[in-house]
Amino acid sequence: MLLNIGDRVQMRKKHPCGSDRWTVTRVGADIKIRCDLCGHVVMMGRPDFEKRLKKIVEHAEGETNGEQA
């Protein structure tokens, strides 16, 4: 799966604040995401992230493979 820093994703379960939209802030063996509604940060392993991911809502512009263009 091609995932970049700045991508907005939708997760299968909602966060307790009520949002299911997150922004990717770190890409690697672990993925770090920040809740778009409350700003809570969660870090999880890539296999766990891919299992919980519903879809990529919006790709970041001007970035590829987690590196700035």
Side-chain angles (χ1 to χ4, degrees):
M1 170 195 330
L2 185 58
L3 191 65
N4 298 313
I5 294 174
D7 286 353
R8 294 191 62 227
V9 297
Q10 181 179 9
M11 303 304 278
R12 293 193 186 280
K13 287 188 175 182
K14 288 190 177 192
H15 188 248
C17 72
S19 175
D20 62 353
R21 302 291 169 103
W22 300 75
T23 301
V24 177
T25 58
R26 182 186 187 282
V27 177
D30 294 323
I31 308 291
K32 187 184 279 188
I33 54 178
R34 185 182 69 245
C35 179
D36 287 348
L37 187 60
C38 71
H40 184 80
V41 176
V42 175
M43 190 167 190
M44 64 184 78
R46 185 176 284 268
D48 193 30
F49 173 80
E50 290 177 356
K51 185 172 113 177
R52 295 177 185 212
L53 177 69
K54 187 170 187 177
K55 67 180 178 179
I56 298 175
V57 177
E58 178 182 336
H59 286 283
E61 293 190 23
E63 297 188 17
T64 58
N65 292 334
E67 299 178 11
Q68 292 190 10

